């Protein structure tokens, strides 16, 4: 029996919300910083995916490289696929 190593995609909206909580940042404050409607930003942050341009602005405002979350996921996947090419699958 073969077990496949699955690499899940990151929920970037959750990661941003978590950082906001850590820093005591409100949606209203962040919306002003990224020049985005508060309601639209709220919706974006409750999705697993955020447009790259918006994520860039959020990264600057929160002084956190959220793109690194994706890079870490890619590196883990590549490491798994190099160690065992037949077992690495995207999930």
């Amino acid at each position: 029996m073969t077990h496949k190593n699955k690499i899940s995609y990151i929920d970037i909206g959750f990661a941003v919300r978590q950082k906001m909580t850590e820093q005591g940042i409100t949606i209203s404050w962040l919306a002003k910083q990224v020049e985005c409607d508060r309601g639209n930003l709220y919706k974006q942050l409750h999705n697993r995916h955020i447009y790259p341009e918006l994520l860039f602005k959020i990264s600057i405002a929160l002084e956190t490289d959220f793109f690194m979350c994706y890079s870490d996921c890619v590196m883990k996947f590549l490491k798994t696929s190099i160690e065992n090419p037949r077992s690495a699958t995207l999930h």
Side-chain angles (χ1 to χ4, degrees):
M1 178 184 220
T2 304
H3 294 289
K4 297 216 178 232
N5 293 324
K6 293 184 180 179
I7 307 236
S8 297
Y9 292 100
I10 187 149
D11 182 341
I12 199 67
F14 177 78
V16 172
R17 293 190 318 270
Q18 187 175 27
K19 183 57 76 172
M20 289 173 63
T21 299
E22 288 173 13
Q23 294 183 5
I25 300 295
T26 64
I27 292 272
S28 296
W29 181 87
L30 185 58
K32 288 177 186 174
Q33 299 304 308
V34 300
E35 300 173 334
C36 183
D37 175 73
R38 183 193 172 281
N40 184 41
L41 181 61
Y42 180 86
K43 289 177 189 174
Q44 289 290 320
L45 295 181
H46 285 83
N47 285 324
R48 285 182 55 200
H49 309 286
I50 296 176
Y51 290 111
E53 295 86 3
L54 180 57
L55 188 59
F56 176 78
K57 290 178 180 181
I58 292 170
S59 292
I60 298 301
L62 298 181
E63 298 178 348
T64 302
D65 184 358
F66 289 103
F67 292 98
M68 192 62 112
C69 298
Y70 289 109
S71 296
D72 289 346
C73 188
V74 169
M75 294 308 295
K76 287 177 188 174
F77 180 81
L78 292 175
K79 183 179 182 212
T80 300
S81 65
I82 288 169
E83 290 172 355
N84 193 349
R86 302 185 93 189
S87 69
T89 60
L90 293 175
H91 176 285

